[in-house]
Amino acid sequence: ESHKSYYPSTDLSKAIGQCLLYLQKMDDMKLVLEKDYKVKIIRPRIKIVIGRTNNFNEDQMSTLRMLNSNLNHIQIVSYDYIISCGEKIITGLEE
């Protein structure tokens, strides 16, 4: 918490930077790939799985939602989110 706001950790900032580099490299190579392989390339979405959110307060969750809404083609999800999705899938299969 800084100045009553939250910001990404150093590790998360590095991961976001790495993703931005990958997206840029894909954009740079898109036309070549499409021409050489005769395929249509769409911009991928990248998911960063990092940390836990089970103890986040509402302000922290709101900040994560705001960060995700401002990242283009990058989504940050927590291990808790992955577990929740898995539990929903299992519950759906059991019904």
Side-chain angles (χ1 to χ4, degrees):
E1 189 173 353
S2 174
H3 303 285
K4 299 190 185 218
S5 65
Y6 295 96
Y7 55 90
S9 68
T10 301
D11 288 338
L12 180 55
S13 294
K14 288 177 183 178
I16 292 169
Q18 185 177 9
C19 292
L20 292 170
L21 178 65
Y22 292 159
L23 290 169
Q24 182 60 51
K25 286 183 183 261
M26 179 60 99
D27 285 344
D28 292 346
M29 294 300 296
K30 179 181 178 181
L31 294 177
V32 173
L33 292 170
E34 288 180 340
K35 181 182 176 211
D36 289 352
Y37 296 98
K38 312 259 188 289
V39 294
K40 178 70 175 153
I41 304 291
I42 58 171
R43 198 161 201 235
R45 289 195 46 81
I46 299 174
K47 287 191 189 297
I48 299 173
V49 181
I50 189 168
R52 304 289 306 262
T53 55
N54 58 338
N55 291 324
F56 272 24
N57 62 39
E58 186 53 40
D59 286 341
Q60 290 167 315
M61 288 304 291
S62 178
T63 299
L64 179 58
R65 283 190 295 273
M66 180 180 61
L67 179 59
N68 275 321
S69 72
N70 285 286
L71 290 173
N72 199 9
H73 293 275
I74 300 172
Q75 181 183 14
I76 301 165
V77 297
S78 69
Y79 294 105
D80 299 309
Y81 175 80
I82 300 294
I83 291 169
S84 173
C85 289
E87 288 172 344
K88 289 176 185 174
I89 290 170
I90 290 170
T91 299
L93 293 173
E94 291 174 344
E95 294 176 353

